[in-house]
Amino acid sequence: MDADKLVALKANVKNMNFISLADIKMFFNVNDKEAQELLDKLIQSGLVSSYPMDGVHFQVKH
């Protein structure tokens, strides 16, 4: 996982209400594994909820 991508994601996720793995893959052009790692880091840092609201989208905590 690229630390620069994580920093950029943390900065941008604050402007969003929801995020999904597909969003992360699209924004950063990463594969499934790296997208999951980035999402896990967001969850661990408390920026997003740990469970998806609809099975796909995770709510961003403001």
Side-chain angles (χ1 to χ4, degrees):
M1 180 185 60
D2 186 352
D4 291 335
K5 290 179 184 174
L6 180 59
V7 171
L9 181 58
K10 283 183 174 182
N12 289 315
V13 77
K14 294 176 183 177
N15 299 325
M16 304 171 79
N17 291 320
F18 301 97
I19 193 161
S20 69
L21 283 175
D23 294 334
I24 296 170
K25 286 171 57 177
M26 180 181 64
F27 295 148
F28 294 102
N29 194 27
V30 295
N31 61 25
D32 291 331
K33 181 181 176 187
E34 191 171 6
Q36 185 65 53
E37 289 176 2
L38 289 166
L39 180 61
D40 290 343
K41 293 293 184 184
L42 290 177
I43 292 169
Q44 290 173 0
S45 66
L47 291 174
V48 299
S49 61
S50 56
Y51 296 100
M53 294 184 56
D54 59 1
V56 176
H57 296 92
F58 294 79
Q59 185 172 10
V60 176
K61 297 178 181 178
H62 291 278

PDB file of all heavy atoms in Angstrom, residues 12-50:
ATOM      1  N   ASN A  12      -9.369  13.578   1.318  1.00  0.00           N
ATOM      2  CA  ASN A  12     -10.546  13.694   0.461  1.00  0.00           C
ATOM      3  C   ASN A  12     -11.808  13.092   1.057  1.00  0.00           C
ATOM      4  O   ASN A  12     -12.907  13.547   0.764  1.00  0.00           O
ATOM      5  CB  ASN A  12     -10.279  13.065  -0.905  1.00  0.00           C
ATOM      6  CG  ASN A  12      -9.323  13.896  -1.709  1.00  0.00           C
ATOM      7  OD1 ASN A  12      -9.447  15.108  -1.769  1.00  0.00           O
ATOM      8  ND2 ASN A  12      -8.355  13.257  -2.331  1.00  0.00           N
ATOM      9  N   VAL A  13     -11.659  12.079   1.882  1.00  0.00           N
ATOM     10  CA  VAL A  13     -12.839  11.395   2.418  1.00  0.00           C
ATOM     11  C   VAL A  13     -13.645  12.314   3.345  1.00  0.00           C
ATOM     12  O   VAL A  13     -14.847  12.153   3.480  1.00  0.00           O
ATOM     13  CB  VAL A  13     -12.447  10.075   3.116  1.00  0.00           C
ATOM     14  CG1 VAL A  13     -11.859  10.319   4.497  1.00  0.00           C
ATOM     15  CG2 VAL A  13     -13.632   9.143   3.211  1.00  0.00           C
ATOM     16  N   LYS A  14     -13.006  13.297   3.914  1.00  0.00           N
ATOM     17  CA  LYS A  14     -13.697  14.227   4.813  1.00  0.00           C
ATOM     18  C   LYS A  14     -14.754  15.041   4.082  1.00  0.00           C
ATOM     19  O   LYS A  14     -15.676  15.557   4.699  1.00  0.00           O
ATOM     20  CB  LYS A  14     -12.692  15.156   5.484  1.00  0.00           C
ATOM     21  CG  LYS A  14     -11.756  14.416   6.414  1.00  0.00           C
ATOM     22  CD  LYS A  14     -10.699  15.322   6.999  1.00  0.00           C
ATOM     23  CE  LYS A  14      -9.744  14.517   7.862  1.00  0.00           C
ATOM     24  NZ  LYS A  14      -8.669  15.324   8.400  1.00  0.00           N
ATOM     25  N   ASN A  15     -14.635  15.161   2.754  1.00  0.00           N
ATOM     26  CA  ASN A  15     -15.601  15.909   1.950  1.00  0.00           C
ATOM     27  C   ASN A  15     -16.726  15.033   1.424  1.00  0.00           C
ATOM     28  O   ASN A  15     -17.572  15.504   0.684  1.00  0.00           O
ATOM     29  CB  ASN A  15     -14.892  16.577   0.766  1.00  0.00           C
ATOM     30  CG  ASN A  15     -13.849  17.559   1.224  1.00  0.00           C
ATOM     31  OD1 ASN A  15     -14.013  18.228   2.234  1.00  0.00           O
ATOM     32  ND2 ASN A  15     -12.760  17.636   0.485  1.00  0.00           N
ATOM     33  N   MET A  16     -16.737  13.763   1.784  1.00  0.00           N
ATOM     34  CA  MET A  16     -17.714  12.808   1.270  1.00  0.00           C
ATOM     35  C   MET A  16     -18.657  12.378   2.381  1.00  0.00           C
ATOM     36  O   MET A  16     -18.323  12.475   3.565  1.00  0.00           O
ATOM     37  CB  MET A  16     -16.996  11.588   0.703  1.00  0.00           C
ATOM     38  CG  MET A  16     -15.971  11.915  -0.363  1.00  0.00           C
ATOM     39  SD  MET A  16     -14.966  10.512  -0.825  1.00  0.00           S
ATOM     40  CE  MET A  16     -16.112   9.665  -1.896  1.00  0.00           C
ATOM     41  N   ASN A  17     -19.834  11.896   2.012  1.00  0.00           N
ATOM     42  CA  ASN A  17     -20.766  11.335   2.976  1.00  0.00           C
ATOM     43  C   ASN A  17     -20.653   9.819   3.048  1.00  0.00           C
ATOM     44  O   ASN A  17     -20.858   9.225   4.102  1.00  0.00           O
ATOM     45  CB  ASN A  17     -22.200  11.728   2.634  1.00  0.00           C
ATOM     46  CG  ASN A  17     -22.444  13.202   2.843  1.00  0.00           C
ATOM     47  OD1 ASN A  17     -21.966  13.773   3.815  1.00  0.00           O
ATOM     48  ND2 ASN A  17     -23.166  13.828   1.929  1.00  0.00           N
ATOM     49  N   PHE A  18     -20.351   9.203   1.900  1.00  0.00           N
ATOM     50  CA  PHE A  18     -20.216   7.753   1.810  1.00  0.00           C
ATOM     51  C   PHE A  18     -19.036   7.423   0.908  1.00  0.00           C
ATOM     52  O   PHE A  18     -18.678   8.208   0.039  1.00  0.00           O
ATOM     53  CB  PHE A  18     -21.483   7.129   1.204  1.00  0.00           C
ATOM     54  CG  PHE A  18     -22.717   7.429   1.988  1.00  0.00           C
ATOM     55  CD1 PHE A  18     -23.540   8.469   1.620  1.00  0.00           C
ATOM     56  CD2 PHE A  18     -23.051   6.678   3.100  1.00  0.00           C
ATOM     57  CE1 PHE A  18     -24.675   8.765   2.338  1.00  0.00           C
ATOM     58  CE2 PHE A  18     -24.189   6.967   3.838  1.00  0.00           C
ATOM     59  CZ  PHE A  18     -25.001   8.011   3.451  1.00  0.00           C
ATOM     60  N   ILE A  19     -18.460   6.240   1.127  1.00  0.00           N
ATOM     61  CA  ILE A  19     -17.366   5.772   0.268  1.00  0.00           C
ATOM     62  C   ILE A  19     -17.511   4.266   0.108  1.00  0.00           C
ATOM     63  O   ILE A  19     -18.000   3.576   1.005  1.00  0.00           O
ATOM     64  CB  ILE A  19     -15.984   6.149   0.835  1.00  0.00           C
ATOM     65  CG1 ILE A  19     -14.914   5.936  -0.207  1.00  0.00           C
ATOM     66  CG2 ILE A  19     -15.683   5.422   2.126  1.00  0.00           C
ATOM     67  CD1 ILE A  19     -13.635   6.681   0.057  1.00  0.00           C
ATOM     68  N   SER A  20     -17.085   3.772  -1.039  1.00  0.00           N
ATOM     69  CA  SER A  20     -17.127   2.339  -1.311  1.00  0.00           C
ATOM     70  C   SER A  20     -15.775   1.891  -1.860  1.00  0.00           C
ATOM     71  O   SER A  20     -14.939   2.717  -2.235  1.00  0.00           O
ATOM     72  CB  SER A  20     -18.227   2.023  -2.324  1.00  0.00           C
ATOM     73  OG  SER A  20     -17.886   2.532  -3.597  1.00  0.00           O
ATOM     74  N   LEU A  21     -15.596   0.574  -1.924  1.00  0.00           N
ATOM     75  CA  LEU A  21     -14.365   0.050  -2.512  1.00  0.00           C
ATOM     76  C   LEU A  21     -14.247   0.476  -3.971  1.00  0.00           C
ATOM     77  O   LEU A  21     -13.152   0.783  -4.444  1.00  0.00           O
ATOM     78  CB  LEU A  21     -14.342  -1.478  -2.412  1.00  0.00           C
ATOM     79  CG  LEU A  21     -14.012  -2.045  -1.043  1.00  0.00           C
ATOM     80  CD1 LEU A  21     -14.149  -3.558  -1.055  1.00  0.00           C
ATOM     81  CD2 LEU A  21     -12.619  -1.657  -0.625  1.00  0.00           C
ATOM     82  N   ALA A  22     -15.373   0.513  -4.671  1.00  0.00           N
ATOM     83  CA  ALA A  22     -15.350   0.930  -6.081  1.00  0.00           C
ATOM     84  C   ALA A  22     -14.866   2.373  -6.211  1.00  0.00           C
ATOM     85  O   ALA A  22     -14.129   2.699  -7.150  1.00  0.00           O
ATOM     86  CB  ALA A  22     -16.730   0.774  -6.696  1.00  0.00           C
ATOM     87  N   ASP A  23     -15.269   3.240  -5.279  1.00  0.00           N
ATOM     88  CA  ASP A  23     -14.800   4.632  -5.292  1.00  0.00           C
ATOM     89  C   ASP A  23     -13.289   4.689  -5.133  1.00  0.00           C
ATOM     90  O   ASP A  23     -12.601   5.408  -5.854  1.00  0.00           O
ATOM     91  CB  ASP A  23     -15.450   5.444  -4.167  1.00  0.00           C
ATOM     92  CG  ASP A  23     -16.936   5.630  -4.328  1.00  0.00           C
ATOM     93  OD1 ASP A  23     -17.433   5.582  -5.474  1.00  0.00           O
ATOM     94  OD2 ASP A  23     -17.604   5.827  -3.294  1.00  0.00           O
ATOM     95  N   ILE A  24     -12.777   3.943  -4.182  1.00  0.00           N
ATOM     96  CA  ILE A  24     -11.336   3.939  -3.919  1.00  0.00           C
ATOM     97  C   ILE A  24     -10.584   3.412  -5.136  1.00  0.00           C
ATOM     98  O   ILE A  24      -9.580   3.984  -5.551  1.00  0.00           O
ATOM     99  CB  ILE A  24     -11.009   3.118  -2.659  1.00  0.00           C
ATOM    100  CG1 ILE A  24     -11.638   3.767  -1.425  1.00  0.00           C
ATOM    101  CG2 ILE A  24      -9.492   2.966  -2.480  1.00  0.00           C
ATOM    102  CD1 ILE A  24     -11.577   2.918  -0.163  1.00  0.00           C
ATOM    103  N   LYS A  25     -11.100   2.336  -5.727  1.00  0.00           N
ATOM    104  CA  LYS A  25     -10.454   1.770  -6.915  1.00  0.00           C
ATOM    105  C   LYS A  25     -10.446   2.774  -8.062  1.00  0.00           C
ATOM    106  O   LYS A  25      -9.464   2.911  -8.768  1.00  0.00           O
ATOM    107  CB  LYS A  25     -11.167   0.486  -7.331  1.00  0.00           C
ATOM    108  CG  LYS A  25     -10.880  -0.685  -6.411  1.00  0.00           C
ATOM    109  CD  LYS A  25     -11.735  -1.880  -6.698  1.00  0.00           C
ATOM    110  CE  LYS A  25     -11.619  -2.362  -8.110  1.00  0.00           C
ATOM    111  NZ  LYS A  25     -12.407  -3.577  -8.372  1.00  0.00           N
ATOM    112  N   MET A  26     -11.544   3.496  -8.245  1.00  0.00           N
ATOM    113  CA  MET A  26     -11.655   4.447  -9.339  1.00  0.00           C
ATOM    114  C   MET A  26     -10.747   5.664  -9.110  1.00  0.00           C
ATOM    115  O   MET A  26     -10.023   6.085  -9.998  1.00  0.00           O
ATOM    116  CB  MET A  26     -13.100   4.909  -9.489  1.00  0.00           C
ATOM    117  CG  MET A  26     -13.324   5.906 -10.607  1.00  0.00           C
ATOM    118  SD  MET A  26     -15.028   6.450 -10.725  1.00  0.00           S
ATOM    119  CE  MET A  26     -15.252   7.305  -9.163  1.00  0.00           C
ATOM    120  N   PHE A  27     -10.790   6.233  -7.912  1.00  0.00           N
ATOM    121  CA  PHE A  27     -10.028   7.445  -7.623  1.00  0.00           C
ATOM    122  C   PHE A  27      -8.522   7.215  -7.670  1.00  0.00           C
ATOM    123  O   PHE A  27      -7.766   8.089  -8.080  1.00  0.00           O
ATOM    124  CB  PHE A  27     -10.394   8.015  -6.256  1.00  0.00           C
ATOM    125  CG  PHE A  27     -11.810   8.501  -6.137  1.00  0.00           C
ATOM    126  CD1 PHE A  27     -12.472   8.409  -4.926  1.00  0.00           C
ATOM    127  CD2 PHE A  27     -12.490   9.051  -7.210  1.00  0.00           C
ATOM    128  CE1 PHE A  27     -13.780   8.856  -4.797  1.00  0.00           C
ATOM    129  CE2 PHE A  27     -13.789   9.502  -7.095  1.00  0.00           C
ATOM    130  CZ  PHE A  27     -14.437   9.402  -5.883  1.00  0.00           C
ATOM    131  N   PHE A  28      -8.066   6.052  -7.225  1.00  0.00           N
ATOM    132  CA  PHE A  28      -6.632   5.812  -7.076  1.00  0.00           C
ATOM    133  C   PHE A  28      -6.074   4.765  -8.027  1.00  0.00           C
ATOM    134  O   PHE A  28      -4.892   4.446  -7.967  1.00  0.00           O
ATOM    135  CB  PHE A  28      -6.308   5.441  -5.631  1.00  0.00           C
ATOM    136  CG  PHE A  28      -6.561   6.577  -4.686  1.00  0.00           C
ATOM    137  CD1 PHE A  28      -7.693   6.604  -3.897  1.00  0.00           C
ATOM    138  CD2 PHE A  28      -5.674   7.634  -4.613  1.00  0.00           C
ATOM    139  CE1 PHE A  28      -7.932   7.664  -3.041  1.00  0.00           C
ATOM    140  CE2 PHE A  28      -5.902   8.689  -3.764  1.00  0.00           C
ATOM    141  CZ  PHE A  28      -7.033   8.711  -2.978  1.00  0.00           C
ATOM    142  N   ASN A  29      -6.936   4.197  -8.882  1.00  0.00           N
ATOM    143  CA  ASN A  29      -6.498   3.215  -9.864  1.00  0.00           C
ATOM    144  C   ASN A  29      -5.703   2.083  -9.201  1.00  0.00           C
ATOM    145  O   ASN A  29      -4.551   1.812  -9.560  1.00  0.00           O
ATOM    146  CB  ASN A  29      -5.678   3.882 -10.970  1.00  0.00           C
ATOM    147  CG  ASN A  29      -5.508   2.973 -12.171  1.00  0.00           C
ATOM    148  OD1 ASN A  29      -6.342   2.111 -12.413  1.00  0.00           O
ATOM    149  ND2 ASN A  29      -4.427   3.167 -12.911  1.00  0.00           N
ATOM    150  N   VAL A  30      -6.324   1.453  -8.211  1.00  0.00           N
ATOM    151  CA  VAL A  30      -5.697   0.357  -7.471  1.00  0.00           C
ATOM    152  C   VAL A  30      -6.512  -0.922  -7.666  1.00  0.00           C
ATOM    153  O   VAL A  30      -7.662  -0.878  -8.092  1.00  0.00           O
ATOM    154  CB  VAL A  30      -5.575   0.682  -5.968  1.00  0.00           C
ATOM    155  CG1 VAL A  30      -4.630   1.840  -5.745  1.00  0.00           C
ATOM    156  CG2 VAL A  30      -6.922   0.965  -5.341  1.00  0.00           C
ATOM    157  N   ASN A  31      -5.911  -2.047  -7.324  1.00  0.00           N
ATOM    158  CA  ASN A  31      -6.621  -3.320  -7.431  1.00  0.00           C
ATOM    159  C   ASN A  31      -7.480  -3.548  -6.181  1.00  0.00           C
ATOM    160  O   ASN A  31      -7.478  -2.745  -5.252  1.00  0.00           O
ATOM    161  CB  ASN A  31      -5.627  -4.472  -7.655  1.00  0.00           C
ATOM    162  CG  ASN A  31      -4.643  -4.624  -6.517  1.00  0.00           C
ATOM    163  OD1 ASN A  31      -4.900  -4.233  -5.379  1.00  0.00           O
ATOM    164  ND2 ASN A  31      -3.489  -5.197  -6.814  1.00  0.00           N
ATOM    165  N   ASP A  32      -8.213  -4.657  -6.177  1.00  0.00           N
ATOM    166  CA  ASP A  32      -9.121  -4.960  -5.070  1.00  0.00           C
ATOM    167  C   ASP A  32      -8.399  -5.043  -3.726  1.00  0.00           C
ATOM    168  O   ASP A  32      -8.883  -4.532  -2.726  1.00  0.00           O
ATOM    169  CB  ASP A  32      -9.851  -6.280  -5.315  1.00  0.00           C
ATOM    170  CG  ASP A  32     -10.848  -6.203  -6.455  1.00  0.00           C
ATOM    171  OD1 ASP A  32     -11.387  -5.104  -6.705  1.00  0.00           O
ATOM    172  OD2 ASP A  32     -11.092  -7.247  -7.092  1.00  0.00           O
ATOM    173  N   LYS A  33      -7.237  -5.694  -3.719  1.00  0.00           N
ATOM    174  CA  LYS A  33      -6.495  -5.889  -2.472  1.00  0.00           C
ATOM    175  C   LYS A  33      -6.036  -4.554  -1.881  1.00  0.00           C
ATOM    176  O   LYS A  33      -6.209  -4.300  -0.692  1.00  0.00           O
ATOM    177  CB  LYS A  33      -5.287  -6.791  -2.720  1.00  0.00           C
ATOM    178  CG  LYS A  33      -4.489  -7.067  -1.478  1.00  0.00           C
ATOM    179  CD  LYS A  33      -3.276  -7.936  -1.761  1.00  0.00           C
ATOM    180  CE  LYS A  33      -2.450  -8.102  -0.507  1.00  0.00           C
ATOM    181  NZ  LYS A  33      -1.190  -8.781  -0.776  1.00  0.00           N
ATOM    182  N   GLU A  34      -5.484  -3.697  -2.717  1.00  0.00           N
ATOM    183  CA  GLU A  34      -4.999  -2.411  -2.212  1.00  0.00           C
ATOM    184  C   GLU A  34      -6.162  -1.512  -1.791  1.00  0.00           C
ATOM    185  O   GLU A  34      -6.069  -0.805  -0.793  1.00  0.00           O
ATOM    186  CB  GLU A  34      -4.127  -1.708  -3.247  1.00  0.00           C
ATOM    187  CG  GLU A  34      -3.404  -0.511  -2.667  1.00  0.00           C
ATOM    188  CD  GLU A  34      -2.359   0.079  -3.589  1.00  0.00           C
ATOM    189  OE1 GLU A  34      -2.242  -0.343  -4.745  1.00  0.00           O
ATOM    190  OE2 GLU A  34      -1.644   0.983  -3.120  1.00  0.00           O
ATOM    191  N   ALA A  35      -7.271  -1.575  -2.527  1.00  0.00           N
ATOM    192  CA  ALA A  35      -8.451  -0.794  -2.147  1.00  0.00           C
ATOM    193  C   ALA A  35      -8.961  -1.242  -0.786  1.00  0.00           C
ATOM    194  O   ALA A  35      -9.332  -0.411   0.056  1.00  0.00           O
ATOM    195  CB  ALA A  35      -9.541  -0.937  -3.201  1.00  0.00           C
ATOM    196  N   GLN A  36      -8.974  -2.549  -0.545  1.00  0.00           N
ATOM    197  CA  GLN A  36      -9.419  -3.061   0.752  1.00  0.00           C
ATOM    198  C   GLN A  36      -8.477  -2.618   1.862  1.00  0.00           C
ATOM    199  O   GLN A  36      -8.916  -2.258   2.950  1.00  0.00           O
ATOM    200  CB  GLN A  36      -9.518  -4.588   0.716  1.00  0.00           C
ATOM    201  CG  GLN A  36     -10.089  -5.183   1.994  1.00  0.00           C
ATOM    202  CD  GLN A  36     -11.530  -4.777   2.240  1.00  0.00           C
ATOM    203  OE1 GLN A  36     -12.378  -4.949   1.384  1.00  0.00           O
ATOM    204  NE2 GLN A  36     -11.809  -4.239   3.419  1.00  0.00           N
ATOM    205  N   GLU A  37      -7.179  -2.620   1.602  1.00  0.00           N
ATOM    206  CA  GLU A  37      -6.199  -2.163   2.595  1.00  0.00           C
ATOM    207  C   GLU A  37      -6.424  -0.685   2.934  1.00  0.00           C
ATOM    208  O   GLU A  37      -6.371  -0.300   4.108  1.00  0.00           O
ATOM    209  CB  GLU A  37      -4.775  -2.365   2.093  1.00  0.00           C
ATOM    210  CG  GLU A  37      -4.333  -3.808   2.042  1.00  0.00           C
ATOM    211  CD  GLU A  37      -2.946  -3.983   1.438  1.00  0.00           C
ATOM    212  OE1 GLU A  37      -2.298  -2.976   1.089  1.00  0.00           O
ATOM    213  OE2 GLU A  37      -2.515  -5.139   1.314  1.00  0.00           O
ATOM    214  N   LEU A  38      -6.671   0.122   1.919  1.00  0.00           N
ATOM    215  CA  LEU A  38      -6.924   1.549   2.158  1.00  0.00           C
ATOM    216  C   LEU A  38      -8.207   1.741   2.959  1.00  0.00           C
ATOM    217  O   LEU A  38      -8.237   2.543   3.901  1.00  0.00           O
ATOM    218  CB  LEU A  38      -7.001   2.307   0.832  1.00  0.00           C
ATOM    219  CG  LEU A  38      -5.684   2.472   0.079  1.00  0.00           C
ATOM    220  CD1 LEU A  38      -5.932   2.930  -1.354  1.00  0.00           C
ATOM    221  CD2 LEU A  38      -4.770   3.454   0.803  1.00  0.00           C
ATOM    222  N   LEU A  39      -9.248   0.999   2.616  1.00  0.00           N
ATOM    223  CA  LEU A  39     -10.503   1.090   3.365  1.00  0.00           C
ATOM    224  C   LEU A  39     -10.303   0.646   4.809  1.00  0.00           C
ATOM    225  O   LEU A  39     -10.806   1.291   5.743  1.00  0.00           O
ATOM    226  CB  LEU A  39     -11.590   0.266   2.691  1.00  0.00           C
ATOM    227  CG  LEU A  39     -12.950   0.268   3.382  1.00  0.00           C
ATOM    228  CD1 LEU A  39     -13.532   1.683   3.452  1.00  0.00           C
ATOM    229  CD2 LEU A  39     -13.906  -0.665   2.677  1.00  0.00           C
ATOM    230  N   ASP A  40      -9.565  -0.431   5.011  1.00  0.00           N
ATOM    231  CA  ASP A  40      -9.286  -0.909   6.371  1.00  0.00           C
ATOM    232  C   ASP A  40      -8.563   0.153   7.191  1.00  0.00           C
ATOM    233  O   ASP A  40      -8.858   0.337   8.383  1.00  0.00           O
ATOM    234  CB  ASP A  40      -8.462  -2.199   6.337  1.00  0.00           C
ATOM    235  CG  ASP A  40      -9.254  -3.388   5.823  1.00  0.00           C
ATOM    236  OD1 ASP A  40     -10.503  -3.327   5.781  1.00  0.00           O
ATOM    237  OD2 ASP A  40      -8.605  -4.396   5.441  1.00  0.00           O
ATOM    238  N   LYS A  41      -7.639   0.863   6.566  1.00  0.00           N
ATOM    239  CA  LYS A  41      -6.917   1.934   7.271  1.00  0.00           C
ATOM    240  C   LYS A  41      -7.870   3.073   7.649  1.00  0.00           C
ATOM    241  O   LYS A  41      -7.744   3.666   8.719  1.00  0.00           O
ATOM    242  CB  LYS A  41      -5.762   2.472   6.428  1.00  0.00           C
ATOM    243  CG  LYS A  41      -4.652   1.487   6.222  1.00  0.00           C
ATOM    244  CD  LYS A  41      -3.928   1.181   7.511  1.00  0.00           C
ATOM    245  CE  LYS A  41      -2.757   0.263   7.273  1.00  0.00           C
ATOM    246  NZ  LYS A  41      -2.080  -0.125   8.503  1.00  0.00           N
ATOM    247  N   LEU A  42      -8.820   3.394   6.762  1.00  0.00           N
ATOM    248  CA  LEU A  42      -9.810   4.425   7.087  1.00  0.00           C
ATOM    249  C   LEU A  42     -10.670   4.000   8.268  1.00  0.00           C
ATOM    250  O   LEU A  42     -10.976   4.802   9.153  1.00  0.00           O
ATOM    251  CB  LEU A  42     -10.708   4.711   5.883  1.00  0.00           C
ATOM    252  CG  LEU A  42     -10.087   5.425   4.703  1.00  0.00           C
ATOM    253  CD1 LEU A  42     -11.113   5.556   3.582  1.00  0.00           C
ATOM    254  CD2 LEU A  42      -9.573   6.795   5.108  1.00  0.00           C
ATOM    255  N   ILE A  43     -11.056   2.739   8.280  1.00  0.00           N
ATOM    256  CA  ILE A  43     -11.868   2.214   9.384  1.00  0.00           C
ATOM    257  C   ILE A  43     -11.066   2.241  10.679  1.00  0.00           C
ATOM    258  O   ILE A  43     -11.565   2.683  11.716  1.00  0.00           O
ATOM    259  CB  ILE A  43     -12.357   0.789   9.058  1.00  0.00           C
ATOM    260  CG1 ILE A  43     -13.373   0.837   7.911  1.00  0.00           C
ATOM    261  CG2 ILE A  43     -12.964   0.128  10.293  1.00  0.00           C
ATOM    262  CD1 ILE A  43     -13.728  -0.525   7.333  1.00  0.00           C
ATOM    263  N   GLN A  44      -9.815   1.797  10.632  1.00  0.00           N
ATOM    264  CA  GLN A  44      -8.969   1.780  11.821  1.00  0.00           C
ATOM    265  C   GLN A  44      -8.729   3.174  12.380  1.00  0.00           C
ATOM    266  O   GLN A  44      -8.611   3.350  13.592  1.00  0.00           O
ATOM    267  CB  GLN A  44      -7.634   1.117  11.509  1.00  0.00           C
ATOM    268  CG  GLN A  44      -7.728  -0.360  11.282  1.00  0.00           C
ATOM    269  CD  GLN A  44      -6.423  -0.965  10.800  1.00  0.00           C
ATOM    270  OE1 GLN A  44      -5.424  -0.278  10.626  1.00  0.00           O
ATOM    271  NE2 GLN A  44      -6.428  -2.266  10.566  1.00  0.00           N
ATOM    272  N   SER A  45      -8.668   4.157  11.498  1.00  0.00           N
ATOM    273  CA  SER A  45      -8.438   5.523  11.965  1.00  0.00           C
ATOM    274  C   SER A  45      -9.723   6.202  12.427  1.00  0.00           C
ATOM    275  O   SER A  45      -9.679   7.325  12.918  1.00  0.00           O
ATOM    276  CB  SER A  45      -7.763   6.348  10.868  1.00  0.00           C
ATOM    277  OG  SER A  45      -8.635   6.506   9.768  1.00  0.00           O
ATOM    278  N   GLY A  46     -10.860   5.522  12.252  1.00  0.00           N
ATOM    279  CA  GLY A  46     -12.129   6.062  12.727  1.00  0.00           C
ATOM    280  C   GLY A  46     -12.779   7.064  11.787  1.00  0.00           C
ATOM    281  O   GLY A  46     -13.721   7.744  12.179  1.00  0.00           O
ATOM    282  N   LEU A  47     -12.319   7.141  10.548  1.00  0.00           N
ATOM    283  CA  LEU A  47     -12.897   8.096   9.604  1.00  0.00           C
ATOM    284  C   LEU A  47     -14.173   7.589   8.945  1.00  0.00           C
ATOM    285  O   LEU A  47     -14.984   8.381   8.481  1.00  0.00           O
ATOM    286  CB  LEU A  47     -11.880   8.469   8.526  1.00  0.00           C
ATOM    287  CG  LEU A  47     -10.693   9.297   9.012  1.00  0.00           C
ATOM    288  CD1 LEU A  47      -9.680   9.481   7.891  1.00  0.00           C
ATOM    289  CD2 LEU A  47     -11.179  10.650   9.498  1.00  0.00           C
ATOM    290  N   VAL A  48     -14.342   6.272   8.867  1.00  0.00           N
ATOM    291  CA  VAL A  48     -15.556   5.702   8.292  1.00  0.00           C
ATOM    292  C   VAL A  48     -16.089   4.613   9.207  1.00  0.00           C
ATOM    293  O   VAL A  48     -15.359   4.057  10.027  1.00  0.00           O
ATOM    294  CB  VAL A  48     -15.326   5.127   6.868  1.00  0.00           C
ATOM    295  CG1 VAL A  48     -14.875   6.199   5.905  1.00  0.00           C
ATOM    296  CG2 VAL A  48     -14.344   3.998   6.875  1.00  0.00           C
ATOM    297  N   SER A  49     -17.382   4.316   9.056  1.00  0.00           N
ATOM    298  CA  SER A  49     -18.006   3.271   9.864  1.00  0.00           C
ATOM    299  C   SER A  49     -17.405   1.918   9.500  1.00  0.00           C
ATOM    300  O   SER A  49     -16.918   1.718   8.388  1.00  0.00           O
ATOM    301  CB  SER A  49     -19.516   3.269   9.642  1.00  0.00           C
ATOM    302  OG  SER A  49     -19.815   3.015   8.291  1.00  0.00           O
ATOM    303  N   SER A  50     -17.470   0.994  10.426  1.00  0.00           N
ATOM    304  CA  SER A  50     -16.835  -0.303  10.207  1.00  0.00           C
ATOM    305  C   SER A  50     -17.715  -1.274   9.429  1.00  0.00           C
ATOM    306  O   SER A  50     -17.239  -2.307   8.980  1.00  0.00           O
ATOM    307  CB  SER A  50     -16.418  -0.921  11.534  1.00  0.00           C
ATOM    308  OG  SER A  50     -17.525  -1.027  12.393  1.00  0.00           O
TER     309      SER A  50
END
